[in-house]
């Protein structure tokens, strides 16, 4: 009995040693609008670094902010709102500064192509029972959607028809299932191969809402993680920027174009 | 507490009450059949009834959204009949919660009915009681503790559900914004004071409710898989 226990203990202890000793790990918390773009960037990055373990977790920027404040084991944090990583930086929870990486755009998306052509100001008259946006109280894309509807003077008319997603990917699910006739979602999501050919979308003019300035930061726990630095450098490289552009993001330094 | 929070509380209580009522009507015959049948299919039915205990609520919720929506089996059928689909409606939440809380109603009831045994109903039958009569005047009174457990647990479980509502509710004030969603929103928006008030209240109320049930009856096993 004792021998077998010892053997079991040895067996279990051998696991951490089984990994290649030089492999690094990187855990990234990323805003839900990056679901597809980030996956491609990471895949390209990974191709050059066999053996390294890179995990990306997608969710709401606000939730990750709270989790990192409470010691969540993330090495990098890509937020849909640059203010969150800046706040972490102020609290001394980061290593290095917050960098902008993209400016997001919102689109009117519907499975019904005709409905997707509707001008925002005509939404209240359109055949819509439920209209999906992300929760403006805590989701950056939701707040921008609210601002755009307010800008066009239809917020109060649409309020009764709103269904609120927890983050922008969840909001897209509401439209994708057909349960909400239309919604305001991230351009980066409708440009993904997964969504291609599903209904139609119309971009919302960027001047109708505050800019969706997105930023990322390396957390304090990853201060000595070379992989985090490498990925940070990779984000600024042309191959990564090509992917981000393809997903409709306006990149830092290209705002005027 | 804000007006919106009071609204969320009343929506929650309404949802829990309606769901419990529906499950009393739907769950009782299922429990009765499971307790009395010799049919081998019963094992399959029992497994299906227990599924909501082990399925992640968000997964269940996602499939409910698809089923209740315009392209789904339930929502699509309703549309064909000239009604509208059930995603993002209170009725839709009742359907989803009924499924989600099913084991909490059926299992305690089944145990109670099984404990009554068949001799009581046989005795009632020899005294010329109809099956309905013997069920309502013999079996139910003898199963009152199981009935209390099932009703309370179903109610409490529905009050506490989150994942399913998140997926099929859409967070509409007065319709689908229940307490758990309101607490979640407060926490997400970092308004911890409001979140604490609601969460603390929910915790105390749930504890008291469960304490009462366990205090009143220490004989039955509560839900088991």
């Amino acid at each position: 009995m004792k021998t077998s226990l010892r053997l079991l203990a040895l067996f279990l202890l051998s696991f951490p040693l089984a990994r290649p000793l030089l492999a690094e790990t990187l855990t990234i918390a990323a805003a839900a609008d990056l679901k597809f773009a980030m996956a491609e960037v990471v895949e390209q990055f990974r191709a050059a670094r066999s053996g390294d373990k890179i995990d990306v977790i997608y969710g709401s920027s606000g939730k990750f902010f709270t989790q990192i404040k409470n010691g969540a084991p993330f090495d990098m944090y890509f937020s849909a709102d640059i203010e969150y990583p800046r706040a972490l930086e102020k609290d001394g929870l980061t290593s290095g500064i917050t960098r902008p990486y993209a400016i997001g755009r919102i689109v009117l998306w519907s499975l019904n192509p005709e409905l997707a052509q509707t001008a925002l100001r005509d939404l209240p008259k359109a055949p819509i029972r439920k209209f999906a946006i992300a929760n403006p109280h805590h989701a950056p894309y939701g707040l921008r959607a609210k601002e755009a509807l307010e800008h066009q003077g239809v917020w109060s008319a649409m309020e009764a028809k709103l269904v609120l997603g927890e983050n922008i990917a969840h909001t897209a699910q509401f439209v994708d299932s057909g349960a909400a006739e239309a919604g305001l979602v991230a351009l980066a999501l409708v440009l993904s191969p997964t969504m291609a050919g599903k209904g139609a979308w119309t971009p919302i003019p960027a001047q109708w809402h505050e800019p969706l300035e997105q930023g990322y930061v390396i957390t304090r726990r990853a201060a000595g993680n070379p992989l985090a630095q490498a990925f940070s450098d990779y984000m600024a490289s042309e191959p990564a920027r090509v992917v981000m552009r393809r997903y409709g993001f306006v990149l830092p330094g290209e705002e005027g174009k | 507490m804000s007006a919106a929070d009071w609204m969320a509380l009343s929506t929650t209580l309404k949802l829990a009450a309606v769901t419990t009522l529906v499950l009393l009507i739907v769950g009782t015959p299922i429990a009765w059949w499971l307790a009395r049948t010799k049919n081998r299919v019963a094992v399959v039915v029992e497994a299906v009834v227990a599924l909501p205990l082990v399925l992640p609520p968000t997964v269940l919720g996602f499939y409910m959204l698809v089923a209740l929506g315009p392209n789904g089996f339930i929502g699509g059928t309703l549309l064909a009949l000239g009604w509208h689909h059930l995603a993002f409606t209170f009725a839709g939440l009742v359907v989803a919660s009924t499924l989600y809380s099913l084991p909490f109603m059926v299992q305690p009831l089944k145990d109670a009915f099984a404990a009554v045994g068949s001799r009581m109903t046989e005795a009632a039958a020899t005294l010329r009681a109809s099956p309905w009569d013997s069920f309502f005047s013999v079996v139910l009174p003898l199963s009152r503790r199981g009935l209390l457990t099932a009703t309370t647990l179903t109610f409490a479980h529905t009050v506490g559900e989150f994942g399913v509502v998140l997926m099929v509710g859409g967070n509409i004030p007065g319709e689908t914004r229940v307490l758990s969603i309101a607490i979640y929103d407060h926490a997400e928006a970092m308004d911890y004071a409001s979140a604490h008030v609601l969460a603390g209240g929910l915790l105390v109320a749930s504890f008291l409710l469960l304490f009462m049930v366990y205090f009143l009856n220490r004989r039955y096993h509560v839900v088991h898989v």
Side-chain angles (χ1 to χ4, degrees):
Chain A
M1 182 71 208
K2 262 193 173 154
T3 336
S4 60
L5 271 178
R6 264 199 214 118
L7 276 174
L8 181 69
L10 266 176
F11 174 68
L12 290 173
L13 282 171
S14 67
F15 271 97
L17 303 174
R19 284 218 321 262
L21 285 171
L22 293 169
E24 305 283 350
T25 60
L26 179 69
T27 311
I28 300 170
D33 67 318
L34 291 170
K35 222 178 186 96
F36 302 102
M38 184 61 101
E40 277 195 43
V41 173
V42 166
E43 205 172 320
Q44 287 182 12
F45 177 72
R46 205 185 267 135
R49 311 182 67 96
S50 59
D52 289 335
K53 196 169 162 294
I54 303 155
D55 292 320
V56 192
I57 293 126
Y58 300 98
S60 88
S61 305
K63 186 185 286 120
F64 288 138
F65 171 80
T66 309
Q67 289 177 338
I68 292 167
K69 269 190 92 123
N70 289 289
F74 299 125
D75 299 310
M76 294 179 91
Y77 168 44
F78 283 78
S79 166
D81 181 348
I82 199 164
E83 291 311 319
Y84 284 125
R86 278 185 184 148
L88 287 179
E89 199 183 321
K90 267 201 202 76
D91 292 344
L93 294 170
T94 65
S95 82
I97 53 159
T98 303
R99 293 201 173 87
Y101 64 89
I103 292 174
R105 292 287 306 274
I106 53 173
V107 300
L108 175 66
W109 182 44
S110 172
L111 293 185
N112 171 352
E114 258 172 70
L115 216 48
Q117 305 298 321
T118 315
L120 283 198
R121 73 167 60 91
D122 298 332
L123 279 179
K125 297 197 292 285
I128 291 173
R129 281 187 61 247
K130 298 294 177 205
F131 189 76
I133 67 170
N135 195 324
H137 291 125
H138 54 77
Y141 274 95
L143 184 57
R144 298 302 175 246
K146 182 183 176 185
E147 286 168 0
L149 291 170
E150 280 173 341
H151 185 278
Q152 291 300 291
V154 291
W155 170 254
S156 51
M158 292 305 290
E159 217 173 350
K161 298 182 175 182
L162 291 180
V163 287
L164 306 179
E166 191 258 315
N167 59 52
I168 201 61
H170 185 218
T171 309
Q173 219 172 63
F174 283 167
V175 181
D176 194 22
S177 67
E181 285 81 0
L184 289 171
V185 301
L187 173 60
L189 291 181
V190 295
L191 283 174
S192 67
T194 317
M195 301 291 184
K198 286 194 174 176
W201 49 271
T202 308
I204 302 301
Q207 54 275 23
W208 288 4
H209 58 78
E210 291 292 313
L212 267 158
E213 205 188 349
Q214 313 195 175
Y216 77 91
V217 77
I218 297 174
T219 61
R220 197 176 55 192
R221 93 184 261 278
N225 186 336
L227 203 52
Q229 197 50 57
F231 189 71
S232 176
D233 295 341
Y234 188 77
M235 274 312 284
S237 73
E238 197 49 31
R241 288 171 77 96
V242 167
V243 173
M244 294 297 283
R245 266 188 226 112
R246 189 152 39 82
Y247 279 92
F249 288 112
V250 176
L251 301 178
E254 298 178 7
E255 291 91 340
K257 291 178 188 173
Chain B
M1 269 176 66
S2 64
D5 286 345
W6 283 110
M7 194 186 254
L9 176 65
S10 83
T11 306
T12 305
L13 295 177
K14 204 168 84 177
L15 176 66
V18 174
T19 302
T20 306
L21 198 66
V22 170
L23 272 173
L24 274 170
I25 297 163
V26 175
T28 307
I30 297 176
W32 178 245
W33 180 79
L34 282 176
R36 306 302 294 264
T37 186
K38 302 271 188 287
N39 195 325
R40 290 215 183 118
V41 182
V43 185
V44 179
V45 175
E46 269 196 286
V48 171
V49 166
L51 269 182
L53 290 175
V54 291
L55 276 181
T58 40
V59 173
L60 190 68
F62 174 75
Y63 287 111
M64 288 308 289
L65 174 68
V66 174
L68 295 172
N71 309 322
F73 166 68
I74 301 170
T77 309
L78 288 173
L79 280 179
L81 295 170
W83 284 311
H84 52 71
H85 65 81
L86 291 180
F88 313 131
T89 62
F90 182 79
L93 285 195
V94 172
V95 174
S97 306
T98 299
L99 191 67
Y100 183 55
S101 293
L102 186 66
F104 290 80
M105 179 62 79
V106 171
Q107 289 188 352
L109 273 185
K110 192 200 102 194
D111 289 350
F113 292 157
V116 170
S118 51
R119 291 180 58 186
M120 286 290 180
T121 40
E122 279 160 17
T126 54
L127 297 168
R128 296 207 187 144
S130 71
W132 282 100
D133 190 14
S134 87
F135 179 78
F136 282 101
S137 20
V138 178
V139 178
L140 271 191
L142 285 171
S143 311
R144 62 187 177 275
R145 288 182 172 184
L147 200 62
L148 173 73
T149 304
T151 306
T152 318
L153 281 180
T154 302
F155 188 88
H157 186 244
T158 309
V159 165
E161 72 180 342
F162 170 71
V164 175
V165 182
L166 184 76
M167 297 310 278
V168 300
N171 205 339
I172 304 163
E175 174 118 25
T176 61
R177 179 179 297 167
V178 296
L179 262 187
S180 60
I181 300 277
I183 294 170
Y184 178 78
D185 281 348
H186 286 316
E188 285 288 281
M190 290 170 223
D191 175 5
Y192 297 121
S194 304
H196 287 322
V197 169
L198 292 185
L202 194 60
L203 188 69
V204 172
S206 306
F207 174 78
L208 289 176
L209 195 64
L210 293 172
F211 176 80
M212 188 186 78
V213 172
Y214 286 98
F215 181 79
L216 285 176
N217 94 49
R218 299 200 46 183
R219 260 178 43 185
Y220 288 100
H221 291 292
V222 176
V223 174
H224 53 87
V225 179

